[in-house]
Amino acid sequence: MKDQLAKIRAEALAAFEGAKDANRLDALRVKYLGKKGELTAVLKMMGKLSPEERPVMGQLANDVRAALENALTECSQKLEAATLELRLKAEAVDVTIPGEAVSLGHQHPMNIALDELKDIFIGMGFTVLDGPEIELAVYNFDRLNAEEGHPSRDWSDTFYFDEDSRVMLRSQTSPMQVRAMDSMTLPIRIVAPGRVYRKDEVDATHSPMFHQVEGMVIDKGVTMADLKGTLNTVAEKLFGEGTKTRFRPHHFPFTEPSCEMDIQCHKCNGAGCPTCKGEGWIELLGAGVIHPRVLEMSGIDPEVYSGWAFGLGLERLALRRFRIDDLRLIFENDVRFLEQF
Ligand code: PHE
């Protein structure tokens, strides 16, 4: 019996040591220490021993059991540690590997120019308005004093949706003047940027869709002097201090008097060059003092209130601001072009 116990002990210890995983180790535990295991089988034979031998063998058997149990615990801890080690290796993250560069987009030059413009006007107390691109002719023409038969209403210039020429793609942001008068309380100071549409062929300076920014002020005692003062300030903020402007008489149905504002060419300082087509000046916007009839049609008394308005081509402004020479570049979305801003 003593030999048997020694044999079990030696065999079991060697087997535990050699177990490669937890399942195998557990199977060995059952094999040696389980209810039907080898050690239990030996213990069951204790009854056949003499009373003198019994405690000695009992002691020996207990020692073997304790030794096996200790070895089991040790081996299972070793296995666990090894498994953990493997997992940590497999899941290791090498923080020293250089990251992959993420390519970030950025604002389109048109939006950069628009944001600058909005900032300037917001700083002067203006509110930014947004309005519909599908517009009623009532807002785009009638209430802007461009009556039936006015040349700007012609089908060759304007995209209409219906035979009666009542619904259209707005041809200017000026209907926002009327919408502002309808929805706001006086005094009013607004800018309204957005898309406008005209039947123009695409070339270096034309596109059937382009952007305008409308501006309007209505208050008591507002004059042409306020218009010039404000627009001169805006020109200097946009294009740098000392930027020269020039106001030329013009005609719009909804302003009286009307003018166009030019800025002096940044390339030749007025001498005349290819950028300004030899003019020395670059046209930037149309403007004027709001026609009393326009105020009247919106229920505003022109004897009490007066105002001014302007409409600016945003593409033209962006081209000048970033010294781009072809309008088509703005719309083509070629990243090689856009990345430069
Ligand atoms: N709406 C005019 C245009 O598109 C510009 C303008 C706006 C002129 C406001 C005067 C006042 O040409």
Side-chain angles (χ1 to χ4, degrees):
M1 197 169 197
K2 202 172 163 181
D3 294 344
Q4 249 178 313
L5 284 171
K7 193 172 156 245
I8 290 174
R9 179 192 171 118
E11 253 183 45
L13 289 182
F16 291 169
E17 212 49 64
K20 292 249 167 6
D21 59 55
N23 286 341
R24 175 77 190 127
L25 195 62
D26 198 54
L28 289 170
R29 182 187 59 78
V30 173
K31 177 172 183 221
Y32 291 104
L33 294 170
K35 273 196 187 127
K36 292 176 184 160
E38 291 185 23
L39 188 63
T40 321
V42 175
L43 289 176
K44 276 184 186 150
M45 298 185 329
M46 292 284 248
K48 291 175 188 152
L49 295 177
S50 68
E52 299 84 53
E53 274 179 319
R54 219 176 285 160
V56 182
M57 279 303 152
Q59 181 60 48
L60 198 60
N62 279 339
D63 288 352
V64 171
R65 172 182 287 277
L68 294 194
E69 277 169 356
N70 279 342
L72 261 181
T73 317
E74 224 172 82
C75 285
S76 104
Q77 274 166 1
K78 259 193 239 161
L79 278 178
E80 252 172 53
T83 321
L84 182 66
E85 184 80 359
L86 273 179
R87 231 184 69 202
L88 287 179
K89 260 194 200 141
E91 291 173 6
V93 174
D94 183 351
V95 293
T96 65
I97 293 176
E100 263 175 49
V102 180
S103 73
L104 277 184
H106 64 83
Q107 276 194 305
H108 191 281
M110 286 277 287
N111 279 317
I112 302 174
L114 178 57
D115 278 354
E116 287 179 358
L117 197 67
K118 279 196 210 164
D119 272 353
I120 295 170
F121 278 103
I122 289 169
M124 297 193 294
F126 284 62
T127 304
V128 180
L129 284 192
D130 197 15
E133 289 169 30
I134 296 175
E135 185 54 284
L136 299 174
V138 173
Y139 290 107
N140 197 94
F141 294 127
D142 298 67
R143 287 182 57 190
L144 286 169
N145 200 31
E147 286 154 350
E148 223 54 78
H150 190 275
S152 64
R153 301 182 75 133
D154 204 284
W155 272 68
S156 60
D157 293 335
T158 303
F159 295 101
Y160 289 103
F161 288 94
D162 58 334
E163 295 281 317
D164 304 330
S165 315
R166 299 318 303 169
V167 186
M168 56 181 290
L169 286 172
R170 67 179 174 189
S171 63
Q172 50 184 357
T173 43
S174 299
M176 290 308 292
Q177 293 181 29
V178 182
R179 289 183 176 273
M181 288 186 256
D182 279 358
S183 63
M184 298 173 80
T185 52
L186 297 165
I188 296 173
R189 275 181 187 73
I190 56 123
V191 281
R195 292 190 187 92
V196 301
Y197 302 83
R198 287 179 200 177
K199 286 187 182 167
D200 282 328
E201 297 290 337
V202 176
D203 66 22
T205 52
H206 290 89
S207 156
M209 187 281 290
F210 59 103
H211 296 75
Q212 285 190 333
V213 181
E214 195 76 9
M216 182 179 76
V217 172
I218 303 177
D219 204 345
K220 286 177 182 157
V222 173
T223 69
M224 188 83 184
D226 300 304
L227 181 161
K228 289 181 77 172
T230 309
L231 293 181
N232 279 337
T233 307
V234 172
E236 286 208 316
K237 290 208 168 166
L238 271 180
F239 300 112
E241 240 166 87
T243 300
K244 288 210 170 66
T245 60
R246 164 175 99 170
F247 293 81
R248 281 177 292 105
H250 202 76
H251 171 79
F252 299 104
F254 37 90
T255 46
E256 182 59 38
S258 303
C259 61
E260 278 190 329
M261 184 180 102
D262 302 334
I263 39 175
Q264 197 169 66
C265 179
H266 54 88
K267 280 247 169 90
C268 62
N269 290 327
C273 71
T275 302
C276 55
K277 298 189 185 104
E279 294 278 321
W281 297 85
I282 298 171
E283 183 196 318
L284 197 66
L285 55 82
V289 172
I290 300 176
H291 198 294
R293 285 196 55 195
V294 172
L295 293 176
E296 251 165 21
M297 279 189 276
S298 292
I300 296 170
D301 185 350
E303 297 296 329
V304 183
Y305 284 95
S306 57
W308 57 264
F310 71 87
L312 164 159
L314 191 57
E315 279 80 2
R316 193 169 286 181
L317 181 119
L319 292 187
R320 214 210 97 105
R321 172 76 182 70
F322 296 111
R323 306 182 175 200
I324 305 165
D325 54 14
D326 193 320
L327 175 66
R328 285 167 289 198
L329 289 165
I330 293 276
F331 297 116
E332 276 166 0
N333 285 335
D334 186 329
V335 282
R336 289 168 304 178
F337 165 73
L338 295 174
E339 269 168 358
Q340 301 171 56
F341 302 97

